[in-house]
Structure formats: structure tokens, C-alpha cells
Amino acid sequence: MISRRAILGSGLALAASSTLAPFARAAAPIKVAGIHGSPVENAWNSVLHKALQEAAAEGVIEYVFSEGVSGTDYPRAMSEYAEQGAKLVIGETFPVEKQARQVAADYPDTAFVMGSSGKEAGDNFGVFGTWNFDGAYLAGMLAGKMTKSNIVGSVGAMPIPEVNMLINAFAAGVKSVNPDAKHLVTFIGTFFDPPKAREAGLAQIDARADILFGERIGTADAAKERGIKSVGSLIDYTPRYPDTVFANALWNFRPILNAALADVAAGKPTGRDYTAYGLMKEGGSDIVYVKGVAPAEAEAAMEAKRAEIKAGSFEVPKIMDEPK
């Protein structure tokens, strides 16, 4: 298990540093602000925060951040960081898409690169998606061969395209190896409420789900409490839940950050979509799993599909409709 995890971790680290050179030689660190809608311990925000902290430790950027910023305060926070001289603002605009683009238009000398379900705008408003759905599909392939009740469950934040695509990919992976499996889905209506995610997971277990996909933090707590297996998303939850979380659909923000920083350093427009830098075939996402938990033939089939994804010969379906 340790060897397996080390190999996958090294692959992501290599991808993360692959675009470092163009801006690492800049005369001065780039001033970057992070605006986190949830606490930075929330999985999604923790991935961004970690990448930004690493870049700051390397001297590539000067990093300041705010966390737990509400939707009503978000545009103001964007404006304030621009006024304070931030050259790049990183964050999320899912609840304030229209307002965020207006702020960007008001500050053309500041680059804004945001997690978003919308499109880029102008020269300085770039977007990125959290597309670790390849790993979710592969984890679903394992789960589909592991379930005994033929029922699996997913606990998500809310039915926005980003979340829908991830949960749909997990379900598609399950169905690809077990067409008769049933998939339960619950949305908790917020991006950070671990107790509520735990309650949703417990309800699914009461409905006979014996493997849970945790798009939200707290799902694995329900699985641990009831002694079933779980799949994590974005970060590696296995060290925290060693007997519960057997696979994780990882996502790494550093390749996206590196690409945005390179554009800022070169004076290029940042009004583009950076999502592709986070895809599995680009080295920005992957699956990590504990070998021997799923059947050997399931692991072999999953690894074969993983190789196809990385080679570009297989594409996981991108289904953004609300899962049923």
C-alpha cells in the first residue's frame, strides 16, 4: 500500500512542478490572494490552499487569504484584494457568477482565476473546473465489484454541474461493471457541513447502501460508524480512515495554479479555461487505492481503464445533469 501511494503521489508531484520554470525566475514573487468560501479544512478549499502555500514557501508568490467568505461578501472581498495590489485572485464563484465577472471588469489589471460553472470573461477572468471525475469513475469500477447489497450511495453538496459530473462518473463506473447496482444520491445543500453529510450517509446505509462515495466531508464518518467501506474525493482520506476509505479520486490544483501564474508573469490574458490542466491525462488528477481490498480482477480491469484514460483512448462521460 505504501509503495502504491508513493508512486501515485510522485506522479502528481511531478505534474505539479512541470510548469514551474517559466515564472520561478521572476524578479519578485507574484502577489496572490485566495478567497475561500468555506474553511480551508474543507476538502476542495484545502487543495487550493495547499498548492498556494507550497508556491509561497518556494518564493514564487506572496500569499494572503480569507476563509469562510459568504456569497454576499464575496464580491467585496474580490474588490478589496484588487485594491490592495493582488496581481492574481484565486477562489470560487459558484454562488456569485454574475457579480464576480462585474468585479473583474472593474479591475482589468488584476487577474481572477475562479472555480466556476460558467465561462471565462474578458481578458482577466479565467475559470477552472474540479474535474477529478476520472478517478471517481475508476473508484466506481472497484465499488461495483465490491458491493454485497448491490446498493451504493453518494453524498454531495448541491446539484451544480461540477458536483453532478463527479457523482455521475462514480455511478457510471459502478454500472460499467455491475449494471444491476442501485445508486442512492443525497445533496446536503451546502459545501461544508460534516455532521449533515454524516447524517445523509447514515440514512443511505439504513437504505442498505454498503459503499459510500463521499463528495462531502463527513460521509466517511458514517461509513466508519457502521463498518462499511467508503470512497474519498479530492484528497487522500485513507490515512484518516485507514479501515474505511479504500480509494480516493484525487485532484491537484498546482498545475492549474502554475499555468495561471505563468500567464500573469508573461503579461498574457488570463481570461481562459484552465480546467484541462487538472485532468488525469494531464497529470492533474488520479486515483489512489489500497490494494487487496477490491477483488484482484476488479483492480486489473480498473488499471487497464486507467491506462486508457491516461493515453486518451477512453473518455469518462461528462454528465452534468442532476443525478437521479
Side-chain angles (χ1 to χ4, degrees), residues 11-26 30 51 54-55 58 60-61 88 252-266 268 272 274 276-278 282-284:
L12 285 173
L14 178 61
S17 62
S18 62
T19 59
L20 184 60
F23 55 84
R25 294 188 295 270
I30 296 172
E54 289 173 349
E58 294 164 8
V60 174
I61 67 173
L88 173 63
N252 183 12
F253 182 66
R254 190 63 188 273
I256 292 174
L257 175 62
N258 287 350
L261 287 171
D263 285 344
V264 172
K268 295 180 179 179
R272 65 187 184 102
Y274 291 89
Y277 293 96
E282 301 296 336

Side-chain angles (χ1 to χ4, degrees), residues 14-310:
L14 178 61
S17 62
S18 62
T19 59
L20 184 60
F23 55 84
R25 294 188 295 270
I30 296 172
K31 294 181 179 180
V32 179
I35 308 176
H36 302 282
S38 298
V40 292
E41 66 260 35
N42 182 42
W44 190 88
N45 299 92
S46 75
V47 175
L48 273 65
H49 189 54
K50 179 175 181 288
L52 289 158
Q53 286 182 311
E54 289 173 349
E58 294 164 8
V60 174
I61 67 173
E62 292 179 10
Y63 175 47
V64 294
F65 71 95
S66 300
E67 60 182 316
V69 180
S70 68
T72 53
D73 288 336
Y74 211 94
R76 176 186 55 79
M78 293 173 64
S79 298
E80 288 182 354
Y81 278 125
E83 294 281 358
Q84 292 167 16
K87 294 300 182 184
L88 173 63
V89 178
I90 299 289
E92 55 197 283
T93 56
F94 301 107
V96 289
E97 298 285 10
K98 182 178 179 179
Q99 301 95 314
R101 285 160 177 77
Q102 182 58 57
V103 172
D106 291 340
Y107 295 93
D109 294 331
T110 302
F112 297 87
V113 176
M114 298 286 180
S116 172
S117 295
K119 297 291 187 181
E120 63 273 16
D123 288 336
N124 69 324
F125 188 88
V127 297
F128 63 88
T130 314
W131 284 16
N132 62 321
F133 62 95
D134 290 329
Y137 180 92
L138 297 175
M141 290 182 66
L142 298 179
K145 287 296 188 180
M146 290 170 57
T147 177
K148 304 299 183 184
S149 66
N150 242 20
I151 302 174
V152 300
S154 293
V155 177
M158 54 190 73
I160 62 174
E162 293 281 326
V163 175
N164 293 345
M165 185 167 57
L166 187 62
I167 291 176
N168 285 328
F170 173 73
V174 172
K175 293 284 189 179
S176 72
V177 299
N178 186 351
D180 297 326
K182 183 178 179 181
H183 180 222
L184 308 178
V185 182
T186 305
F187 293 104
I188 63 173
T190 181
F191 287 110
F192 189 75
D193 193 335
K196 195 168 185 178
R198 170 186 165 273
E199 292 172 5
L202 290 174
Q204 291 184 348
I205 296 169
D206 288 340
R208 297 183 58 240
D210 62 357
I211 298 177
L212 300 182
F213 175 61
E215 195 273 329
R216 289 294 107 185
I217 286 180
T219 309
D221 292 307
K224 179 180 179 181
E225 185 175 326
R226 295 292 181 86
I228 68 167
K229 297 298 182 183
S230 180
V231 174
S233 178
L234 297 175
I235 63 175
D236 186 353
Y237 285 97
T238 301
R240 193 185 309 180
Y241 302 93
D243 299 318
T244 302
V245 178
F246 71 96
N248 300 271
L250 302 182
W251 183 63
N252 183 12
F253 182 66
R254 190 63 188 273
I256 292 174
L257 175 62
N258 287 350
L261 287 171
D263 285 344
V264 172
K268 295 180 179 179
T270 54
R272 65 187 184 102
D273 191 337
Y274 291 89
T275 299
Y277 293 96
L279 290 171
M280 181 177 286
K281 65 181 181 180
E282 301 296 336
S285 62
D286 213 328
I287 182 173
V288 62
Y289 65 102
V290 182
K291 288 187 70 66
V293 177
E297 62 273 17
E299 291 183 359
M302 184 276 290
E303 285 288 3
K305 190 62 66 177
R306 176 174 174 263
E308 291 179 20
I309 294 171
K310 291 176 76 67

